[in-house]
Amino acid sequence: MSRVVVVHGVGRQLDTAETMLAEIAPALRGGVGLALRRDPTLGRLSDDDIACAGYGDLYRQTGTRGEPYYRAEDVERGFEAELLETWWREAARLDPGIPGPDTTRPDGTDAGPPARGALGHLAGRSLSVDRVRRALNALTRTRFFGAVSDRLLISNLKQVRRYFTEPKLREAIRSRTAELITADTRVVVGHSLGSVVAYEVLCALRPERPPLTLVTLGSPLGLAGLVFDRLQPAPQQDGAGIWPASVQSWTNVADSGDVVALARELAPRFGPKVLDLLVDNGSEMHSMRAYLTAVETGTAIAVGLAR
């Protein structure tokens, strides 16, 4: 049974657990290898130590060829629009060269006041397709999303929204992860939406099982409203997130330019036991591979294996 379980994020609907593992395992081993160069006493990995909780196929649409050809008009008001604008605002904050939501349009006209944290999502006001297009143009042509297409970015928005709004899908995704976590498992690694999946699964485990180490990478867990307040179990009345009883230690790793991990420190949400670390992923701010090859990630995993 695997001692390390990795949970991926969105956009992997054409992958299986096996194809994901072929990509993830070398990167994870590389990060742990760097950690062992610094401290040879840390935990080591054997050939069968890593498993990937693949769930991308649950997002595939039966009877279609590839992803639907999403356009700006397909971004739904509410969750999808709010998340898109949240990413847009953060990208503009990090890079002055990116026109933000409140700047003037190329034709010189005023962009109008911000829509209370959402793209035109005000009572009695329709979602502005022009505003969505401006957001997509700002994000898909910048370093933050690796020149991803509008179609793929909208698909990712919809996958995140569906996780939080479709209970059967959410449970199916969590089941894929839970079935891999056995008494032998020592470390659970979650990237992007996968960090939400990992967190919710670990919260549901029995506290008397062997203690686990949680490592979150590029995590949106601390994003108020859109993610944090939708977690299961819900945050406590005092606003603090629930600490998973099965988790002994939690390391959160974020790149300072990762617009998905907008709340880069999770300790303010989940308590001082969370160790928040910043890394530099170069031009691949949100890349799972870049996170896994970071020595900080490798150290967190290796320490968890040594416990």
Side-chain angles (χ1 to χ4, degrees):
M1 297 296 180
S2 301
R3 293 198 296 156
V4 181
V5 173
V6 182
V7 193
H8 64 80
V10 299
R12 308 311 295 253
Q13 57 270 30
L14 301 183
D15 282 298
T16 64
E18 290 75 16
T19 61
M20 287 293 299
L21 184 61
E23 172 187 332
I24 287 170
L28 194 152
R29 292 181 188 281
V32 171
L34 292 177
L36 288 171
R37 284 178 176 273
R38 293 185 175 185
D39 185 352
T41 66
L42 296 176
R44 296 175 178 270
L45 288 165
S46 65
D47 290 342
D48 300 320
D49 269 339
I50 308 169
C52 179
Y55 60 84
D57 63 290
L58 296 174
Y59 281 109
R60 294 179 76 162
Q61 300 190 29
T62 304
T64 62
R65 183 175 176 80
E67 279 292 288
Y69 196 81
Y70 291 122
R71 299 176 299 174
E73 292 83 353
D74 296 313
V75 174
E76 298 181 14
R77 54 191 308 185
F79 186 95
E80 292 179 21
E82 288 195 42
L83 184 57
L84 180 61
E85 175 144 323
T86 299
W87 289 344
W88 184 17
R89 287 185 180 279
E90 181 64 3
R93 186 186 72 82
L94 292 169
D95 187 345
I98 296 175
D102 307 324
T103 59
T104 56
R105 298 186 180 92
D107 62 6
T109 59
D110 186 71
R116 203 172 57 190
L119 287 163
H121 186 55
L122 290 173
R125 178 176 173 179
S126 62
L127 178 61
S128 167
V129 174
D130 174 66
R131 192 172 177 85
V132 172
R133 287 198 183 104
R134 291 177 59 231
L136 293 171
N137 287 340
L139 290 170
T140 60
R141 290 162 176 78
T142 65
R143 58 195 174 94
F144 297 105
F145 284 92
V148 70
S149 68
D150 289 3
R151 180 184 184 185
L152 183 56
L153 184 57
I154 295 171
S155 174
N156 290 346
L157 284 170
K158 291 185 177 296
Q159 287 188 22
V160 177
R161 188 264 303 162
R162 289 185 61 195
Y163 179 82
F164 287 109
T165 60
E166 297 183 18
K168 289 184 179 180
L169 175 66
R170 190 176 196 168
E171 182 53 37
I173 291 173
R174 293 192 303 204
S175 294
R176 292 277 182 94
T177 299
E179 67 187 14
L180 292 177
I181 300 175
T182 68
D184 296 315
T185 305
R186 290 294 176 268
V187 183
V188 178
V189 182
H191 172 252
S192 195
L193 181 65
S195 69
V196 178
V197 178
Y199 169 81
E200 293 188 337
V201 168
L202 295 182
C203 282
L205 293 182
R206 299 189 307 274
E208 61 269 19
R209 62 144 289 129
L212 290 163
T213 291
L214 173 61
V215 181
T216 49
L217 311 173
S219 176
L221 274 165
L223 184 56
L226 291 168
V227 176
F228 181 74
D229 298 288
R230 297 171 183 262
L231 293 175
Q232 296 176 353
Q236 302 174 76
Q237 290 186 350
D238 62 0
I242 302 295
W243 181 273
S246 59
V247 170
Q248 182 180 42
S249 66
W250 180 349
T251 299
N252 177 60
V253 184
D255 183 290
S256 59
D258 188 343
V259 300
V260 175
L262 193 141
R264 294 175 183 87
E265 293 186 352
L266 296 184
R269 294 285 188 190
F270 297 94
K273 288 175 62 178
V274 179
L275 175 61
D276 287 305
L277 300 175
L278 284 178
V279 296
D280 182 0
N281 289 339
S283 62
E284 300 179 70
M285 293 82 165
H286 191 59
S287 162
M288 178 166 61
R289 182 194 63 81
Y291 273 118
L292 288 173
T293 57
V295 67
E296 293 85 354
T297 302
T299 300
I301 294 171
V303 168
L305 290 171
R307 293 184 188 279

